[in-house]
Amino acid sequence: MAKSKFILNDLSLITITLIQILIATIISLAFQFLFPFSWQPLDRFLYGIKQHGDPGTNLVFFTISQWYFSLSLACLIFRDNPYINNFLIYSIVPLGIIVFYEFFFLYLYYDYIHITPIFIDIYLIWKKRETLSQKFAFSIITINISWLISVYFLKLAYYSEELPIYIRNFLIYVVLWIILSFVFKSKRKNGLNS
């Protein structure tokens, strides 16, 4: 592991980011095409055993939760990437709400797709906070908003949820993302940004 970190340190941040996105893409494709749909714990719990492509099922590759999960695994190979870290930190909002609902209302405790990124988020706040910055907030919130709107209306994911509920959840996410961004606001020292 130390040797791979050394090799990654010799690469540019853009190259490292592309490698991490490639790893996340491979993981997401595996969950879409190799692993059965029943490997999605929340969907299996709510709807029983279904197959990819069954009516009303998400295309796993297009769910933002799957990408949060895949990027959280890819994050482990290089933990100092501000692009990946800042994208992941915003997952704490929707995934935190989902996991809270699973734990306290559904009594579902093994949803690794939603839990894993939360553990990574906690690690980032605890150990890699210096990589987190509010300057990424607008771009990341815009990406998340565009993603959630497009997959819903293109019927790629989440479209089985009723539109008013989806809009309510969406608005809650946006408000909480904006509030969260201020947690990572740069502090000023002697009139300069730190």
Side-chain angles (χ1 to χ4, degrees):
M1 182 70 172
K3 187 170 183 169
S4 68
K5 187 171 182 182
F6 177 74
I7 291 169
L8 286 175
N9 284 337
D10 292 339
L11 300 175
S12 74
L13 186 56
I14 297 297
T15 303
I16 293 169
T17 303
L18 291 174
I19 291 168
Q20 289 178 292
I21 290 172
L22 177 63
I23 290 167
T25 302
I26 291 167
I27 294 168
S28 295
L29 286 169
F31 273 85
Q32 179 65 54
F33 295 109
L34 295 179
F35 304 135
F37 190 76
S38 60
W39 282 32
Q40 302 294 313
L42 180 59
D43 288 313
R44 181 176 180 161
F45 183 86
L46 291 176
Y47 308 115
I49 296 176
K50 291 196 167 204
Q51 305 299 319
H52 289 290
D54 282 354
T57 58
N58 293 323
L59 291 174
V60 173
F61 185 79
F62 292 102
T63 63
I64 200 166
S65 298
Q66 178 62 52
W67 279 90
Y68 287 144
F69 172 76
S70 299
L71 284 167
S72 70
L73 297 181
C75 172
L76 296 175
I77 67 159
F78 186 77
R79 297 173 189 157
D80 294 317
N81 187 334
Y83 302 124
I84 300 296
N85 293 358
N86 279 280
F87 181 76
L88 281 175
I89 202 64
Y90 287 88
S91 72
I92 204 164
V93 169
L95 301 186
I97 292 170
I98 290 168
V99 168
F100 179 84
Y101 178 69
E102 289 176 337
F103 275 37
F104 296 104
F105 294 94
L106 300 178
Y107 309 108
L108 174 64
Y109 305 111
Y110 57 88
D111 187 356
Y112 63 92
I113 296 287
H114 295 115
I115 294 171
T116 303
I118 291 176
F119 282 126
I120 296 298
D121 289 339
I122 292 167
Y123 170 80
L124 293 174
I125 292 168
W126 182 33
K127 293 286 192 179
K128 298 296 177 181
R129 192 177 178 93
E130 72 280 357
T131 67
L132 305 175
S133 172
Q134 189 183 33
K135 73 180 182 180
F136 293 99
F138 178 77
S139 300
I140 292 167
I141 292 170
T142 301
I143 289 168
N144 288 346
I145 288 170
S146 302
W147 192 323
L148 291 172
I149 289 172
S150 61
V151 298
Y152 184 85
F153 288 106
L154 292 173
K155 295 189 183 283
L156 299 171
Y158 314 123
Y159 61 92
S160 61
E161 197 166 337
E162 294 178 21
L163 184 59
I165 294 170
Y166 193 76
I167 291 171
R168 180 205 63 196
N169 292 345
F170 174 81
L171 292 175
I172 290 169
Y173 297 163
V174 171
V175 169
L176 291 176
W177 281 330
I178 292 168
I179 293 168
L180 178 63
S181 75
F182 286 95
V183 172
F184 307 111
K185 188 172 183 181
S186 298
K187 292 184 177 130
R188 295 186 178 266
K189 288 184 183 175
N190 300 327
L192 299 173
N193 282 334
S194 59

